[in-house]
Amino acid sequence: MTTNALRAPIEAEQALLGAILINNEAYGPVSSIIRPDHFSDPVHRKLFELFQDSISQGRAATPLTLKDRLPADLNVGGLSGMQYMARLASEACTVINAPDYAQVVRDSWASREVCKVSEEAASFLASPSADPKHAISVLLSELDIIRAELDHQKQSRQPIGACASGVLERIDAIQAGTMPIGASTGLTDLDRSIGGLQPGRLVVVAGRPGMGKTIVGANIARAVAANGDGCALFSLEMPSEEIGSRILSDQAFHPNFVVSSKQIYEGRLNGQEMQRVERAAAELASIPLIIDASPSLTVSEISARCRTGADELRRRGVELRVIVIDYLKFVKSSERYRGQRVYEVGEITAGLKALAKDMGICVVLLAQLNRAVEQRADRRPELSDLRESGDIEADADIVLLLFREAYYLKDKSDPESQAKLAAVEDQIDIIVAKCRMGSPGTVTAYCNPAASVIRDWR
């Protein structure tokens, strides 16, 4: 049964409540779809709350058991509470159709909420001193919450047999080549360790300043797109010219011919170097990589831009597979937790995880570690060094911690340190500190910070 074939929303509420009254088994399938506040009629909200309370406590919800819990003066169009419940029972839908009616109730709620927040935005903008950018930000945030509610109506509960069958179908699709197993990070050993950049995952890449967060993030973005998968890089800290210079240097890299990103950014190139950079630029023009260098965005704004970018890439015949966000510090939270950074970070990481699942993409979030790592003799980072909130670790499917020993040796002049520097100068350790579907470990890769390059270890 399609929702278009159902009756008007208020009648759908009545039919749904009647179905639960007649057979309490109708409550189970709809309990994950609607809440009491989704009902437009206050009486219907109250009745659903009573049904919810009774059934969740193992008691029957019938006109007789609810009689004494209804307000004594309840009057619905001249009907008492008992009379109205009898009417609801007479107009009930079937148990099998209850989820369809529940979705009509929730869709009607969503429509009312969209109208409400739109009217509030219009009212705010009527003031001559109103800030339209702020109004848009708030509106997007509110609309995103409503959209998330609607997306939640996807069935999340199922028998183990159905779940196992779904896994077998996934295996068949992967083996048949119709389902990609994850976009490549560009590093063979890292892909093997974490299973690539899987859809629905939040991957956090964290390190202290100078460890190469932006280099790793930009390399991943370029590698994903170079492999033919759509990618969007949100450079919230650097302007487009600077991040573009880094990616150009990466693309132009050759072990025997290095053009640094600083040279490119400052325009200090000889004829041969210029030719190489121009060739790299032509190569980059053909890959599906979108750069967004807005200085500060909320999760809702990132979500909206992702959807726009996905539509743009789809017109080019490419699916958006990965987004890279550089970095957490510059992602704005909503007004809800303003000034409470721990809660702000939790809201951001939870929102990005939800975005990954909702759009079926992998979100790579760069983050900074706290200063505690600098005060230890062994400066190799640990999960406990994640800055500001334990929610980062909790929400992330994968946490990668970056460590470049050369960074701590470059200012030392003693022979032992210099000898060690020569051995590790072009090395970066990517510590897999958390991986839900894998094991912790360390992947060593080649790193040339001047050229903004990360490659497989030689």
Side-chain angles (χ1 to χ4, degrees):
M1 177 182 295
T2 65
T3 56
N4 288 336
L6 301 176
R7 292 173 287 177
I10 194 71
E11 294 178 323
E13 293 180 11
Q14 293 170 329
L16 177 59
L17 292 172
I20 298 173
L21 276 172
I22 289 177
N23 188 343
N24 286 178
E25 289 185 6
Y27 174 77
V30 306
S31 62
S32 62
I33 299 176
I34 54 173
R35 303 190 310 264
D37 61 292
H38 288 152
F39 289 85
S40 62
D41 189 293
V43 172
H44 294 168
R45 284 198 292 272
K46 178 62 177 177
L47 286 172
F48 189 78
E49 285 175 353
L50 293 176
F51 295 170
Q52 192 175 53
D53 183 57
S54 293
I55 296 171
S56 65
Q57 294 185 40
R59 301 195 303 265
T62 67
L64 185 62
T65 61
L66 298 176
K67 178 181 178 182
D68 294 335
R69 301 182 65 186
L70 292 172
D73 59 349
L74 181 63
N75 185 299
V76 186
L79 300 177
S80 68
M82 288 292 287
Q83 290 171 328
Y84 188 62
M85 283 195 288
R87 176 185 167 187
L88 292 178
S90 69
E91 298 185 0
C93 66
T94 62
V95 172
I96 196 170
N97 286 334
D100 290 331
Y101 281 79
Q103 289 181 17
V104 170
V105 171
R106 186 158 66 174
D107 286 350
S108 178
W109 163 84
S111 297
R112 294 194 303 274
E113 289 297 300
V114 169
C115 290
K116 176 183 172 184
V117 298
S118 299
E119 288 169 1
E120 288 174 350
S123 177
F124 174 80
L125 289 170
S127 170
S129 60
D131 178 1
K133 184 176 179 181
H134 174 74
I136 292 170
S137 178
V138 172
L139 180 61
L140 283 174
S141 179
E142 295 294 334
L143 291 175
D144 211 38
I145 291 171
I146 298 168
R147 180 198 51 75
E149 281 276 333
L150 294 176
D151 289 341
H152 184 63
Q153 69 188 30
K154 298 171 183 175
Q155 184 65 28
S156 58
R157 294 182 298 176
Q158 57 182 321
I160 183 58
C163 181
S165 296
V167 174
L168 292 176
E169 290 175 5
R170 174 184 168 83
I171 292 172
D172 290 341
I174 290 173
Q175 293 182 343
T178 58
M179 176 183 286
I181 59 172
S184 174
T185 63
L187 300 174
T188 305
D189 290 341
L190 185 58
D191 285 343
R192 188 178 298 116
S193 177
I194 67 173
L197 302 171
Q198 296 277 359
R201 284 183 174 177
L202 172 62
V203 178
V204 173
V205 180
R208 288 294 296 155
M211 292 298 107
K213 296 187 299 296
T214 298
I215 295 173
V216 171
N219 268 255
I220 287 175
R222 187 198 61 80
V224 167
N227 200 43
D229 294 315
C231 184
L233 171 58
F234 290 88
S235 180
L236 307 184
E237 182 182 22
M238 295 182 182
S240 57
E241 294 83 359
E242 188 170 343
I243 193 66
S245 297
R246 288 173 179 253
I247 296 174
L248 268 172
S249 180
D250 177 21
Q251 182 70 24
F253 176 76
H254 186 279
N256 300 322
F257 191 92
V258 176
V259 183
S260 74
S261 56
K262 189 172 187 294
Q263 283 178 272
I264 295 173
Y265 186 70
E266 296 177 352
R268 296 184 293 102
L269 304 170
N270 60 34
Q272 186 179 8
E273 291 167 341
M274 189 65 194
Q275 288 179 1
R276 190 168 193 88
V277 170
E278 288 175 341
R279 187 161 59 249
E283 292 166 354
L284 288 174
S286 65
I287 69 173
L289 175 58
I290 297 171
I291 305 295
D292 189 322
S294 302
S296 186
L297 296 172
T298 64
V299 172
S300 295
E301 289 168 335
I302 289 172
S303 175
R305 291 171 188 235
C306 281
R307 295 175 197 284
T308 300
D311 290 341
E312 178 185 326
L313 289 170
R314 201 169 288 119
R315 288 193 290 271
R316 296 166 57 182
V318 179
E319 290 297 318
L320 178 65
R321 298 284 305 282
V322 177
I323 68 168
V324 179
I325 302 170
D326 185 13
Y327 69 104
L328 175 60
K329 176 183 175 181
F330 296 99
V331 180
K332 293 191 301 184
S333 66
S334 69
E335 301 290 332
R336 187 180 309 167
Y337 300 117
R338 180 169 294 279
Q340 304 176 72
R341 188 56 183 167
V342 169
Y343 294 112
E344 288 179 341
V345 169
E347 180 188 55
I348 290 166
T349 55
L352 293 175
K353 172 62 180 175
L355 172 62
K357 291 179 68 176
D358 176 40
M359 291 192 65
I361 60 177
C362 181
V363 175
V364 179
L365 174 65
L366 309 188
Q368 189 158 297
L369 297 176
N370 61 44
R371 290 189 178 89
V373 67
E374 307 287 355
Q375 289 147 24
R376 299 196 298 261
D378 180 3
R379 294 189 173 106
R380 193 171 291 269
E382 303 170 353
L383 270 177
S384 58
D385 297 317
L386 278 170
R387 189 174 185 176
E388 297 172 317
S389 174
D391 286 325
I392 302 175
E393 177 186 348
D395 291 330
D397 298 283
I398 296 171
V399 178
L400 306 177
L401 306 178
L402 307 181
F403 178 67
R404 289 181 55 238
E405 190 173 4
Y407 180 83
Y408 297 106
L409 295 170
K410 59 181 173 39
D411 294 328
K412 296 184 178 181
S413 57
D414 62 281
E416 184 180 351
S417 296
Q418 287 297 302
K420 181 66 173 174
L421 175 61
V424 300
E425 190 169 15
D426 55 0
Q427 179 177 312
I428 184 171
D429 288 338
I430 304 174
I431 302 165
V432 183
K434 176 185 178 182
C435 185
R436 292 195 196 278
M437 298 295 288
S439 302
T442 299
V443 172
T444 298
Y446 169 80
C447 178
N448 186 320
S452 298
V453 160
I454 305 286
R455 296 288 188 273
D456 284 318
W457 185 248
R458 301 189 290 270

